[in-house]
Amino acid sequence: MAELMNALELVPFPFIFALYGCYILEEYVLELKSLPEELHLLCPRKNDDDMEQYSKYIDNENKNNELDVKPSVEVLERISEAAVRREKFLSCIQLLAFSGEEVEVHQQWIWRRLEGTLERCDICIKEYYKGKIWLIGTLGESYDESEVEKFSKMLDDWDISRVGRNLDKAASMLRSVPPERRKLSVLDRAAMLSIFEALSSTPVLGNENVLREHFDEPFKLVQSLRTLKITEYVPAATRFLFDQVQHRNHWAVFTWSRLGRAPTTSEFDWAIKEPLLAALRRASSPPFDADFVDTLWRGITIIIERLNKDQITHNLRGLELDPCRLSVDHLAIQSPALRSVINTIHALLEKSPGDFWDAMQTISPQAIIEQIFYNPQYEKFLIATDNDEPLAQSPLRDMLSWIDPFITSLKNTHQPQACRFLVHQLLNRLQEPRFPTIVKYHCFRSGLTVLYRTLRSFTDNEDTRGSVATIVLSE
């Protein structure tokens, strides 16, 4: 035994771990092989005919109070058993990295079961892609980074090849029928699920060539009659918010408009975090692409509207790049994107003003206001306003609607200075003859509202009630 231990000390730890891990994984494979073939390995479904709505109960930390019917004990047991089964199967995927005749038979079984699983069940697809993130993260704790990257790329390449093949099949089937019959029901199960899988697959979504060559055609054809409806958060819904390909972006905006609840923490991490972070990185360094900046903030505003305050604090601001801070940095960009940036700041001030100001650190409120009003694009929006244009559709509304939540979000110590600047802009500069009558009217109303909010903030605060005349009226 001593000689064996001495010998093992000469072997790198990862190799020892691999030997031990391989033995455990083979045990898992044998256990999983003994299960009924019709049992789904990655989700709670007993077979393909099991139509229980498990998605309502899986990952439901934000949904517990929304469930009309509580899951039965049997359903909860299936969910619990599936979680154990799923982790074992995902762990077994590591065997694909080993070589040797002794594991080859297991590898063939893993490939076969994995392909069959992903071509028959939408829940399994989602759990697979979420599970891949967990698996790669787990491997990264024990193996060299370069080796983990190679393994991850192997899986990604396999996913891309398989999904691309099924997407091509879907396109062929949709082309073979007249436009009025082009819908999901004409596809077989594997072809139909390939569209959903593409919307869930980070490797597919991250490869523009694959999207153009394999995804776009069936995605457009299947929507010949009506827009494809997805009722859950998927990575494509976020990634396509920042995509400048029109049909993808329109679908993403439509999808987010139909998602009536906030994402769960798990959904944020899987379906929102990485696509959002990638978009922020792209727009974080000059030279700025004004068109993409506009797309970015349109998308982020849509996301913010779905998040609650806690998610803005812990998920959105927990990103490597803080959207709150970047939005203010982009106020200086002289392009129509200013409208989208202002709308995002407006949404943040409405949802979570404390987080917005916490992100500003040393940036003063007046510095933010000055960036907005001194941006030449601001005046361009106002001057271009048509007196007959409905306010709800006019840029004028967006140029002014942020002001009220902005002034009310300020602490008393910052309000007088901000009030002075805003009143000068709204009641003086923007009343010049070159501005349309409708602009001068709404600016005047907005300026009076600023005065009213500021006065009320002091009269409502007992500590400052006696100094209102000195602080405000004397200005």
Side-chain angles (χ1 to χ4, degrees):
M1 178 62 73
E3 292 178 357
L4 176 60
M5 293 304 295
N6 289 335
L8 288 176
E9 287 178 1
L10 301 176
V11 181
F13 171 74
F15 181 71
I16 299 173
F17 178 83
L19 288 175
Y20 176 73
C22 187
Y23 171 76
I24 296 296
L25 296 177
E26 286 185 285
E27 290 293 309
Y28 284 170
V29 170
L30 294 175
E31 178 185 337
L32 293 169
K33 282 183 175 181
S34 69
L35 298 174
E37 186 78 12
E38 66 271 15
L39 182 68
H40 289 210
L41 293 178
L42 298 176
C43 83
R45 284 177 172 156
K46 299 177 295 182
N47 50 53
D48 292 347
D49 297 324
D50 183 355
M51 292 293 105
E52 180 68 53
Q53 297 297 308
Y54 295 104
S55 293
K56 292 194 301 184
Y57 313 123
I58 298 174
D59 181 36
N60 65 348
E61 74 263 23
N62 291 3
K63 309 179 206 174
N64 284 327
N65 296 328
E66 302 173 14
L67 298 178
D68 297 328
V69 180
K70 298 297 181 182
S72 66
V73 173
E74 182 183 1
V75 167
L76 291 175
E77 287 179 353
R78 284 186 213 153
I79 292 173
S80 178
E81 291 169 359
V84 175
R85 187 167 67 242
R86 177 170 59 250
E87 184 170 328
K88 288 182 177 180
F89 183 71
L90 290 169
S91 297
C92 289
I93 292 176
Q94 297 175 60
L95 287 173
L96 300 175
F98 292 88
S99 60
E101 295 180 2
E102 63 276 9
V103 295
E104 188 174 331
V105 64
H106 296 322
Q107 291 173 339
Q108 292 173 354
W109 179 84
I110 291 169
W111 284 125
R112 180 181 65 80
R113 284 305 307 267
L114 185 56
E115 182 169 10
T117 293
L118 298 176
E119 292 184 354
R120 70 196 244 204
C121 177
D122 57 328
I123 302 178
C124 285
I125 288 172
K126 185 170 72 171
E127 294 303 324
Y128 167 67
Y129 283 102
K130 290 167 70 174
K132 269 180 68 177
I133 298 173
W134 167 82
L135 175 61
I136 298 303
T138 301
L139 293 177
E141 297 173 1
S142 304
Y143 293 94
D144 182 75
E145 182 179 348
S146 62
E147 294 301 317
V148 175
E149 287 179 357
K150 288 179 184 177
F151 179 68
S152 178
K153 185 178 185 304
M154 178 194 71
L155 290 178
D156 289 349
D157 289 345
W158 181 76
D159 288 332
I160 289 172
S161 174
R162 177 178 48 78
V163 175
R165 183 174 64 251
N166 284 325
L167 285 171
D168 291 343
K169 180 182 177 183
S172 177
M173 296 176 74
L174 290 164
R175 283 196 305 267
S176 69
V177 299
E180 63 271 15
R181 290 187 53 212
R182 288 173 181 166
K183 48 189 176 181
L184 287 174
S185 59
V186 305
L187 302 176
D188 65 26
R189 191 161 186 80
M192 178 183 68
L193 286 175
S194 70
I195 295 176
F196 177 75
E197 183 171 358
L199 297 173
S200 305
S201 173
T202 301
V204 171
L205 296 172
N207 191 318
E208 182 60 30
N209 288 334
V210 172
L211 290 175
R212 283 200 308 266
E213 295 172 12
H214 301 284
F215 172 77
D216 281 340
E217 183 183 10
F219 188 58
K220 286 190 286 188
L221 289 175
V222 82
Q223 299 181 89
S224 297
L225 299 178
R226 58 180 62 88
T227 304
L228 182 65
K229 296 177 182 178
I230 297 289
T231 58
E232 298 181 9
Y233 289 92
V234 292
T238 305
R239 187 190 184 281
F240 290 169
L241 277 180
F242 311 115
D243 199 315
Q244 292 172 288
V245 175
Q246 191 175 61
H247 75 271
R248 299 178 198 162
N249 186 266
H250 285 179
W251 175 82
V253 172
F254 170 81
T255 298
W256 275 85
S257 72
R258 290 179 54 83
L259 294 169
R261 60 172 178 82
T264 64
T265 299
S266 176
E267 285 171 330
F268 185 94
D269 290 341
W270 175 61
I272 300 174
K273 180 179 178 180
E274 290 305 321
L276 173 55
L277 194 52
L280 289 168
R281 289 194 188 105
R282 179 179 169 185
S284 64
S285 302
F288 298 114
D289 178 344
D291 289 338
F292 181 73
V293 169
D294 185 50
T295 300
L296 171 73
W297 295 112
R298 285 175 184 269
I300 290 179
T301 301
I302 290 171
I303 292 173
I304 290 170
E305 288 171 351
R306 283 288 170 268
L307 302 181
N308 58 44
K309 184 183 182 305
D310 285 344
Q311 290 173 320
I312 292 174
T313 302
H314 301 294
N315 299 121
L316 193 66
R317 291 208 56 220
L319 296 173
E320 176 186 319
L321 288 170
D322 191 337
C324 299
R325 186 62 177 260
L326 187 61
S327 67
V328 173
D329 293 342
H330 282 180
L331 285 173
I333 298 175
Q334 298 179 20
S335 82
L338 176 67
R339 183 178 184 180
S340 298
V341 180
I342 288 176
N343 284 339
T344 299
I345 292 174
H346 182 185
L348 286 166
L349 290 170
E350 291 276 11
K351 277 286 183 79
S352 190
D355 283 301
F356 178 80
W357 290 116
D358 184 58
M360 293 306 103
Q361 298 179 355
T362 59
I363 299 177
S364 69
Q366 180 158 340
I368 295 172
I369 303 171
E370 288 176 356
Q371 282 205 76
I372 294 174
F373 280 94
Y374 291 155
N375 188 322
Q377 183 63 48
Y378 192 85
E379 277 199 15
K380 289 180 181 178
F381 276 131
L382 299 185
I383 291 173
T385 300
D386 188 332
N387 282 324
D388 297 325
E389 185 178 8
L391 182 63
Q393 302 169 14
S394 169
L396 174 62
R397 184 198 65 172
D398 297 331
M399 295 302 102
L400 299 177
S401 61
W402 61 274
I403 295 174
D404 191 40
F406 184 92
I407 199 71
T408 55
S409 72
L410 297 178
K411 295 179 179 178
N412 289 339
T413 53
H414 292 132
Q415 277 191 334
Q417 187 180 28
C419 175
R420 183 193 309 118
F421 184 87
L422 285 168
V423 166
H424 171 71
Q425 296 295 318
L426 297 166
L427 300 186
N428 292 299
R429 186 170 75 88
L430 299 181
Q431 298 301 316
E432 294 175 3
R434 58 200 176 95
F435 294 103
T437 302
I438 190 70
V439 170
K440 292 188 284 185
Y441 168 75
H442 284 289
C443 286
F444 192 83
R445 287 193 62 179
S446 185
L448 292 179
T449 300
V450 169
L451 281 171
Y452 171 76
R453 297 292 190 203
T454 305
L455 287 168
R456 281 298 301 267
S457 71
F458 285 105
T459 57
D460 290 345
N461 187 327
E462 292 184 2
D463 294 334
T464 58
R465 187 173 293 165
S467 58
V468 173
T470 302
I471 294 176
V472 179
L473 298 182
S474 65
E475 297 289 346

